[in-house]
Amino acid sequence: VIANLEHDFQKYLDAFVPLLIQGLGSLELTSLCVICTGGAVDLCSGLGSLVQPYADGIMEAMFNIIRDGSVHRDVKPVVISCFGDMAMAIGAAYQPYMQ
């Protein structure tokens, strides 16, 4: 849906992003974490810099996945790849996340 709507999806972000972050926080559900990470990738590629206002919440959820030692090993590579997608989408605004 995001890929087809691209910038037109922006009007749904206030409702969608909290659900995405909730899914990213479901660390015990491997498939859900992977799917939600894919949703974050789709947001980055479909919306580009328009995702920046939501980056703090998404990035915090992904950092929590990386920090948690109990997360299934299939999830972390997908999340690490998504960090790059977020950096490409928001450009210089990604700098604070590199600290």
Side-chain angles (χ1 to χ4, degrees):
V1 173
I2 297 167
N4 287 333
L5 292 177
E6 293 181 340
H7 288 86
D8 291 334
F9 192 79
Q10 183 180 9
K11 59 187 167 191
Y12 304 111
L13 287 177
D14 287 336
F16 179 76
V17 171
L19 297 173
L20 179 76
I21 292 170
Q22 182 179 356
L24 289 169
S26 300
L27 303 180
E28 68 284 353
L29 302 173
T30 301
S31 294
L32 182 59
C33 283
V34 170
I35 290 168
C36 288
T37 303
V41 168
D42 290 345
L43 283 178
C44 292
S45 62
L47 297 172
S49 63
L50 296 176
V51 77
Q52 197 276 325
Y54 305 93
D56 282 346
I58 295 169
M59 291 296 291
E60 183 61 33
M62 292 194 306
F63 282 134
N64 288 339
I65 291 170
I66 296 300
R67 287 183 197 116
D68 193 308
S70 67
V71 172
H72 193 276
R73 65 183 177 168
D74 291 342
V75 178
K76 291 185 180 188
V78 179
V79 171
I80 290 169
S81 177
C82 188
F83 287 142
D85 293 312
M86 182 66 77
M88 293 298 293
I90 65 174
Y94 191 81
Q95 187 64 31
Y97 305 114
M98 297 183 66
Q99 305 300 330

